[in-house]
C-alpha cells in the first residue's frame, strides 16, 4: 500500500521540531492529509495514510519507545517471517506489517531485511542504541530518500517533503548530465535531481549511528552464478507457473474493486488471467476492472487482444483513448507529481491510466511490467554464439531472423542485425571511444556544455560503462535494461503518478523469487529460432486464450504517440525558443539546440535530436518549477 513516511533524526543531539515534521507531511498531501506523529528524544516520525494505505496504526511503537517503525508499502511474507522469528526464540507481539518488521529486527538485527519480501520502504529507530535503520524493497517499488544535513538526517518518501523542511534545492549536475547524455548506463539510482538529497537504492538499507554520515549497505542482488534445480523446459515451465500463481496471489488485494492494467500483451494478460484465477479460488465473482490506453491507430493498438482477454476474465473493460490529448498541457502536472524531469513522452499513458483507474474507484491495480526483460530479452545472444565459436547455430539463428523477424513480423536488414547484435556487443568501450573520436563526435554528446561535462567527469563515466555482472552478452543486456529502464525509470514514475491519484500499483512479475529464477533460466528457453517467450507460453497454457499465447506481431506505441504529438511538440518548442534567456544554458548548448529545432521543424531532424529537445523542455520546466517553489517557501535553515 502507499501513504508516506516523514522522519527527522537529530544526529547532533538536539530535539527535532514538530513544525518541521508537519511541514514535511504537508508537502505531500496526496499521500495523506492527517499525519500521525511520534516525537521523543532525538527522533520525530510521521505517517501519512491515503485511500490505498494499510489500515494499521502508525508510527508503530514497541515497549514505550524502545523501537519505533514507520512503513510505506506492505510485506507479502509476514506470516512466514513471524513463524521464523518465533522459531528463533523471539516473541511476535502481533502479526501486523510493522509488528513483523520490529520482531524481525529483534531477532536478526540489520539482517532482518534479507528475510522481508514485499513492496516496502520503512524506517526503524532503536532508541536503546540510538540507531536508525531504513530499507527499501529489492526493486524500489516504494520510494525512500534522505538528506544528511544541518545536524540531522531527514528521511521521506519524496524529495519535496525534505525540501519543505528547508534543505536546499540545488540541482544535482550528475543527475542532469546523465539525463541529457542519452546513456542509460549513467543513470544512478542513488541520486535524486537535488544535490543534497539521495535516493536509497533498491535492495539497499541505510544505517545511521552516531553523528557521522549514514552508511548504505546492499542486502540483495541478482546472483550471476545461480543454477536452477529444474533442468528441462517442461519442469522449468511448471516451476514458473507455480511462482506466477503465488506472486499474483500474494499481491491480490483483500477486497475489491479489483483492477488490472491490460494492454493485450502477454505480460498484462498473464497477470489478469492469474488474478481472475485467484478470485475464483477465493469464491469471488465480482467483475474485474481493466484499463487500456490506446491511440486509435492500427500500427499501435491491439483492441482484439484486449477484448479477448477482458472477455475471458469477465472484466468490465475501459478503453482509454489518448490520441486527442496534449502531453505538453499535462507536463507541468506530471513534473510536479514525479518531482523531476521525465524520461519519455509515454508517461501520458500512465497519467491517463491512473486517472481513469481512480475515477472508477479502484485503489489497487495490477501491472504486467517487467516481462520483456525476464521472459524475452533481445538478440545479443548472437554475439555469444560467435564468441563461443558456435557458427552453425549462429547461422541458423540469423536465418530465422532474416529477412523477417518472426517475433515482430517486420522486415530486417542483415547489416543492421549484425551491427546491433553482434558487432556492438563485441566492441570494447575503448574501441567505441576511438570510433566516436574518429567520426568527429568527441568523448561526450555535442549538445552538452564543456563546463558541465568537465565538472561531472562525463567522458570518463561514458568510457567506464556499466559494471559487468554476467559473462554473457545476452543476460548482461537484460540486466542493464531491467535496472536502468525498468527499475530506475519506469517503476518510480508508475508509483509517483499512482500516488497522485491514490492508486497503488503492484507488479507480480517483479517478484524477487521469480526474477532470480528467470535470470538463471537458459536463454534457449526464452528466445531461439525466431520464437520468443517459450517458457512463459508453456507456463500459461490453459490459462490464457490462444489468441494471446500464439506468436503475433508486437506493436510499438511510442512512434505513433510521437507522430500524434508532433504538432503539439512544434508549438511548444516555438514558444520555448522565444525565451530571452534559458535556465538550461549552463547544461545544454543553446546554439546546438536551435539548430536541432530548425532541423526538427524542416523535417530533417533525427530521433535523437527530438529526444534532446524533449529533455531540454523538461529540464527548463523543472527548473522553473523549483524557482516557483522557492518563492512560495523560503529556502533556509530548517527549524528542526
Amino acid at each position: 500500500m502507499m501513504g508516506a513516511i516523514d522522519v527527522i533524526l537529530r544526529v547532533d543531539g538536539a530535539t527535532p521540531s514538530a513544525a518541521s515534521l508537519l511541514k514535511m507531511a504537508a508537502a505531500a498531501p496526496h499521500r495523506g492529509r492527517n499525519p500521525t506523529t511520534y516525537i521523543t528524544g532525538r527522533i520525530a516520525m510521521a505517517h501519512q495514510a491515503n485511500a490505498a494505505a494499510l489500515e494499521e496504526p502508525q508510527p508503530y511503537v514497541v515497549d514505550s519507545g524502545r523501537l519505533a517503525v514507520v512503513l510505506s508499502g506492505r510485506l507479502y511474507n509476514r506470516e512466514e517471517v513471524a513463524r521464523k522469528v518465533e522459531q528463533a526464540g523471539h516473541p511476535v507481539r502481533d502479526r501486523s506489517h510493522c509488528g513483523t518488521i520490529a520482531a524481525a529486527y529483534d531477532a536478526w538485527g540489520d539482517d532482518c531485511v534479507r528475510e522481508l519480501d514485499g513492496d516496502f520502504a520503512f524506517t526503524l529507530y532503536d532508541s536503546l542504541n540510538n540507531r536508525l535503520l531504513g530499507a527499501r524493497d529489492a526493486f524500489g517499488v516504494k520510494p525512500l530518500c534522505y538528506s544528511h544535513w544541518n545536524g540531522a538526517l531527514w528521511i521521506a518518501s519524496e524529495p519535496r517533503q525534505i525540501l519543505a523542511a528547508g534543505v536546499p534545492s540545488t540541482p544535482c549536475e550528475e543527475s542532469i548530465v546523465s539525463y541529457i547524455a542519452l546513456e542509460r548506463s549513467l543513470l544512478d539510482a542513488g541520486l535524486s535531481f537535488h544535490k543534497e538529497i539521495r535516493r536509497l537504492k533498491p535492495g539497499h538499507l541505510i544505517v545511521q549511528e552516531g553523528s557521522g554520515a549514514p552508511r548504505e549497505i546492499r542486502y540483495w542482488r541478482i546472483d550471476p552464478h545461480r543454477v536452477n534445480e529444474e533442468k528441462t523446459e517442461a519442469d522449468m515451465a511448471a516451476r514458473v507457473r507455480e511462482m506466477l500463481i503465488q506472486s499474483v496471489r500474494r499481491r491480490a488485494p483483500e477486497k475489491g474493486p479489483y483492477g488490472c492494467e491490460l494492454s493485450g500483451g502477454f505480460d498484462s494478460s498473464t497477470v489478469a488471467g492469474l488474478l481472475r484465477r485467484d478470485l475464483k479460488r477465493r469464491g469471488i465473482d465480482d467483475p474485474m476492472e481493466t484499463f487500456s490506453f490506446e491511440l486509435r491507430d492500427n500500427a499501435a493498438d491491439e483492441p482484439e487482444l484486449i477484448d479477448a482477454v477482458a472477455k475471458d476474465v469477465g472484466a468490465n473493460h475501459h478503453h482509454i483513448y489518448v490520441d486527442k490529448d496534449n502531453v505538453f498541457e499535462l507536463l507541468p502536472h506530471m513534473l510536479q507529481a514525479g518531482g523531476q524531469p521525465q524520461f519519455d513522452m509515454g508517461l501520458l499513458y500512465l497519467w491517463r491510466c491512473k486517472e481513469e483507474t481512480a475515477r472508477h474507484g479502484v485503489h489497487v491495480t495490477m501491472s504486467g511490467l517487467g516481462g520483456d526483460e525476464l521472459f524475452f530479452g533481445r538478440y545479443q545472444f548472437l554475439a555469444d554464439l560467435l564468441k563461443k565459436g558456435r557458427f552453425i547455430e549462429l547461422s541458423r539463428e540469423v536465418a530465422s531472423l532474416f529477412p523477417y523477424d518472426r517475433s515482430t513480423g517486420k522486415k530486417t536488414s542483415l547489416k543492421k542485425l549484425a551491427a546491433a547484435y553482434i558487432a556492438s556487443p563485441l566492441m570494447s568501450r575503448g574501441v567505441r571511444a576511438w570510433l566516436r573520436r574518429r567520426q568527429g563526435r568527441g568523448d561526450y554528446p555535442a549538445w552538452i556544455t564543456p563546463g558541465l561535462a568537465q565538472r561531472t567527469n562525463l567522458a570518463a563515466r561514458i568510457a567506464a560503462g556499466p559494471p559487468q555482472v554476467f559473462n554473457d552478452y545476452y543476460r548482461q543486456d537484460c540486466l542493464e535494461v531491467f535496472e536502468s529502464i525498468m527499475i530506475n525509470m519506469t517503476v518510480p514514475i508508475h508509483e509517483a503518478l499512482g500516488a497522485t491519484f491514490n492508486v497503488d500499483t503492484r507488479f507480480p512479475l517483479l517478484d524477487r523469487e521469480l526474477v532470480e529464477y528467470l535470470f538463471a533460466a537458459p536463454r534457449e528457453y526464452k528466445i531461439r529460432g525466431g520464437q520468443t517467450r517459450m517458457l512463459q507460453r508453456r507456463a500459461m497454457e490453459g490459462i490464457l486464450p490462444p489468441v494471446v499465447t500464439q506468436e503475433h506481431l508486437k506493436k510499438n506505441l511510442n512512434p505513433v504517440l510521437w507522430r500524434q504529438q508532433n504538432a503539439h511538440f512544434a508549438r511548444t518548442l516555438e514558444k520555448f525558443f522565444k525565451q530571452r534567456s534559458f535556465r538550461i544554458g549552463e547544461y545544454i548548448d543553446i546554439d546546438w539546440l536551435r539548430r536541432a529545432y530548425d532541423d526538427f521543424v524542416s523535417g530533417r531532424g533525427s530521433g535523437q535530436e527530438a529526444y534532446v529537445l524533449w529533455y531540454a523542455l523538461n529540464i527548463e520546466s523543472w527548473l522553473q518549477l523549483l524557482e516557483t517553489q522557492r518563492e512560495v517557501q523560503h529556502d533556509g535553515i530548517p527549524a528542526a
Side-chain angles (χ1 to χ4, degrees), residues 220-383:
W220 180 85
R221 71 181 69 218
I222 292 173
D223 180 4
H225 306 295
R226 170 175 171 155
V227 177
N228 293 335
E229 293 181 5
E230 295 79 10
K231 302 304 178 187
T232 69
E233 185 175 342
D235 288 343
M236 284 195 176
R239 180 74 183 110
V240 168
R241 182 186 181 105
E242 177 186 322
M243 286 189 287
L244 284 170
I245 291 172
Q246 183 64 19
S247 180
V248 170
R249 179 174 299 176
R250 293 199 294 182
R251 286 163 177 78
E254 292 83 2
K255 58 185 179 181
Y258 306 94
C260 272
E261 296 173 4
L262 180 61
S263 68
F266 212 146
D267 301 321
S268 63
S269 300
T270 291
V271 171
L274 291 175
L275 177 58
R276 169 48 66 197
R277 179 190 177 102
D278 186 64
L279 294 178
K280 286 182 178 178
R281 178 189 65 86
R282 291 158 57 186
I284 298 174
D285 295 324
D286 298 0
M288 293 162 49
E289 304 293 330
T290 54
F291 304 85
S292 64
F293 39 78
E294 296 164 58
L295 297 168
R296 299 185 203 265
D297 190 305
N298 289 334
D301 299 340
E302 299 179 288
E304 68 285 353
L305 297 179
I306 294 170
D307 291 338
V309 177
K311 181 179 179 181
D312 190 66
V313 301
N316 292 327
H317 186 72
H318 309 278
H319 293 272
I320 305 167
Y321 300 106
V322 301
D323 56 305
K324 301 301 182 185
D325 288 328
N326 182 346
V327 69
F328 299 98
E329 290 180 351
L330 291 173
L331 187 57
H333 305 291
M334 296 174 181
L335 290 172
Q336 177 72 30
Q340 64 182 42
Q342 296 306 320
F343 286 90
D344 194 87
M345 203 178 285
L347 80 165
L348 171 65
Y349 310 141
L350 298 183
W351 179 274
R352 294 280 282 111
C353 194
K354 308 300 183 189
E355 181 181 47
E356 282 297 297
T357 300
R359 195 169 71 83
H360 287 86
V362 178
H363 293 295
V364 178
T365 187
M366 308 278 263
S367 167
L369 194 69
D372 285 352
E373 294 72 29
L374 299 174
F375 286 110
F376 183 3
R378 300 190 295 178
Y379 298 109
Q380 272 75 1
F381 71 89
L382 298 177

Side-chain angles (χ1 to χ4, degrees), residues 5 33 57 62 84 91 111 168 206 247 284 301 315 317 328 342 373 376 403 482 507 571 593 635:
I5 62 178
R33 293 181 178 273
V62 177
K84 286 184 178 180
D111 285 340
I206 178 176
S247 180
I284 298 174
D301 299 340
H317 186 72
F328 299 98
Q342 296 306 320
E373 294 72 29
F376 183 3
F482 183 77
F507 308 98
R571 284 193 293 270
L593 268 186
D635 191 30

Side-chain angles (χ1 to χ4, degrees), residues 483-513:
E483 290 188 339
S484 63
I485 306 294
M486 190 66 50
I487 304 305
N488 290 1
M489 292 165 49
T490 311
V491 168
I493 194 61
H494 255 285
E495 199 281 339
L497 297 190
T500 301
F501 295 105
N502 283 347
V503 174
D504 180 28
T505 309
R506 301 180 186 175
F507 308 98
L509 301 189
L510 299 185
D511 178 85
R512 193 165 70 184
E513 183 182 13

Side-chain angles (χ1 to χ4, degrees), residues 554-590:
K554 182 177 177 61
K555 298 182 179 180
N556 190 348
L557 282 77
N558 278 355
V560 177
L561 175 67
W562 277 78
R563 186 176 72 244
Q564 291 183 352
Q565 294 291 323
N566 191 69
H568 302 310
F569 197 9
R571 284 193 293 270
T572 305
L573 287 172
E574 181 181 11
K575 181 179 178 181
F576 174 76
F577 281 105
K578 287 181 178 178
Q579 295 179 185
R580 293 185 177 180
S581 62
F582 296 86
R583 298 167 185 81
I584 58 173
E586 59 184 300
Y587 308 128
I588 301 179
D589 185 325
I590 302 301

Side-chain angles (χ1 to χ4, degrees), residues 487-549:
I487 304 305
N488 290 1
M489 292 165 49
T490 311
V491 168
I493 194 61
H494 255 285
E495 199 281 339
L497 297 190
T500 301
F501 295 105
N502 283 347
V503 174
D504 180 28
T505 309
R506 301 180 186 175
F507 308 98
L509 301 189
L510 299 185
D511 178 85
R512 193 165 70 184
E513 183 182 13
L514 180 66
V515 169
E516 290 172 343
Y517 191 89
L518 288 173
F519 265 101
R523 182 272 308 168
E524 293 82 357
Y525 296 165
K526 302 178 183 180
I527 176 172
R528 70 171 183 268
Q531 295 181 306
T532 62
R533 298 177 179 270
M534 291 85 73
L535 196 62
Q536 188 179 15
R537 294 178 197 282
R538 194 159 186 173
M540 292 302 295
E541 284 179 357
I543 295 179
L544 292 180
V547 68
V548 175
T549 58

Side-chain angles (χ1 to χ4, degrees), residues 424-439:
S424 182
L426 289 170
M427 196 180 299
S428 70
R429 283 270 165 177
V431 170
R432 291 185 191 184
W434 177 80
L435 281 175
R436 289 175 68 98
R437 289 191 293 271
R438 177 106 177 175
Q439 295 166 357

